[in-house]
Amino acid sequence: MKAALVGTDGTLLHEARRATGRERGADAVVESILAFAAELRAHGEEHLGESAVAAGVAVPGIVDAEKGIAVYAANLGWRDVPLRALLSERLGAIPVALGHDVRTGGLAEGRIGAGHGADRFFFVPLGTGIAGAIGIAGVIEAGAHGYAGEIGHIVVRPDGPDCGCGQRGCLETLASAAAVTRAWAAASGDPDADAADCAKAVESGDPAAIRVWQDAIDALAAGLVTALTLLDPGTLIIGGGLAEAGETLFTPLRAAVEERITFQKLPHIVPAALGDTAGCLGAGLLAWDLLSTEVSA
């Protein structure tokens, strides 16, 4: 868990991290979140001279932001947790905003990160899986049911690997950091090798690594072109673990996307700027948005 006290302008005033403790079960994870939030609030009172006036929390899985419910998260083992109500109660009845982790990170990247000034952007973090956040005029489009942006489950190779969602050949089975790790561990014969090791091997000219890397980039480009065709963003922001490879990723990825487009306009393809603080900053922005909405109402 990552948490922060965030100023009105998006400045990080204080940041802290704690283990989620998911091995202790879903109820313990929820209690850890509530206790962490209370601890953060107390820090602000003691060290900054004032209490937080609102809170934002970003969680993985399926989220009903309107009702404030964390619907389902496979990794955390919870279902239908009324997180907004629980947090508000623990924090003295202050307003609480709940958001999806990738969309919340995308909000921060769009407003104060790599997408700053872009009216339309698409944020895609390449981590254990692949998701996406659609940015339109400073807000993130969640979709009618909260599922918008799930680019990781676009099928790019119908005969590809089985995906946990029930389809075959989904983008995240081929181009996520986890997918590259699996492919490189198999190709190198080293079960402990990961995507970062693959990137280093690519930089040193290893032919097997280059094949694994290019396969992932080809799949990623195919998925991204589908997204560009549907969304027409001005800026495409790539983050997550694979993006840490820098131009080892971005140079061939830009070329692969450009090679595939026909009538579509090529967006600016840029690395994410906020790293793993994006979720904290985005949660803070959600909280400030909540306050500004209440004031305008």
Side-chain angles (χ1 to χ4, degrees):
M1 298 186 293
K2 296 180 285 289
L5 293 169
V6 181
T8 52
D9 59 353
T11 302
L12 273 177
L13 304 173
H14 170 69
E15 189 178 5
R17 296 172 186 243
R18 297 285 182 278
T20 307
R22 63 183 180 181
E23 69 282 351
R24 293 180 292 126
D27 291 344
V29 171
V30 173
E31 177 54 36
S32 295
I33 293 169
L34 301 180
F36 196 10
E39 180 185 317
L40 205 67
R41 183 171 183 245
H43 180 94
E45 291 171 339
E46 181 179 349
H47 296 281
L48 300 175
E50 59 182 313
S51 180
V53 290
V57 60
V59 298
I62 300 170
V63 178
D64 187 332
E66 194 172 319
K67 294 180 180 175
I69 295 172
V71 178
Y72 175 68
N75 290 341
L76 299 176
W78 66 31
R79 283 184 183 273
D80 298 321
V81 178
L83 203 52
R84 183 171 65 197
L86 292 171
L87 269 170
S88 185
E89 181 183 350
R90 183 67 65 96
L91 298 175
I94 65 172
V96 175
L98 180 67
H100 179 269
D101 57 351
V102 171
R103 288 197 289 270
T104 303
L107 178 67
E109 283 289 351
R111 284 205 200 160
I112 57 177
H116 181 63
D119 185 53
R120 298 284 192 281
F121 70 88
F122 191 44
F123 170 59
V124 183
L126 309 173
T128 304
I130 299 177
I134 303 164
I136 303 172
V139 297
I140 301 298
E141 171 55 52
H145 307 96
Y147 293 6
E150 289 290 348
I151 186 177
H153 297 290
I154 287 176
V155 174
V156 292
R157 292 183 187 156
D159 58 347
D162 291 335
C163 180
C165 78
Q167 301 184 108
R168 291 188 65 188
C170 286
L171 179 61
E172 72 173 40
T173 69
L174 298 158
S176 63
V180 174
T181 292
R182 285 192 300 271
W184 179 233
S188 66
D190 179 359
D192 296 322
D194 62 13
D197 296 323
C198 185
K200 289 174 188 168
V202 169
E203 290 160 12
S204 67
D206 185 305
I210 291 169
R211 281 194 298 273
V212 167
W213 197 253
Q214 195 59 50
D215 279 350
I217 283 172
D218 288 345
L220 181 57
L224 291 176
V225 169
T226 298
L228 301 183
T229 306
L230 290 170
L231 302 173
D232 187 28
T235 302
L236 178 58
I237 305 166
I238 307 293
L242 278 192
E244 292 174 11
E247 288 307 313
T248 302
L249 173 72
F250 283 92
T251 296
L253 179 60
R254 290 184 185 109
V257 170
E258 187 168 8
E259 185 180 293
R260 283 167 173 75
I261 61 172
T262 53
F263 66 90
Q264 304 93 334
K265 291 291 186 183
L266 185 68
H268 298 291
I269 301 176
V270 299
L274 302 176
D276 67 358
T277 63
C280 286
L281 290 166
L285 293 172
L286 284 179
W288 286 115
D289 283 358
L290 201 59
L291 290 176
S292 63
T293 301
E294 287 185 352
V295 170
S296 63

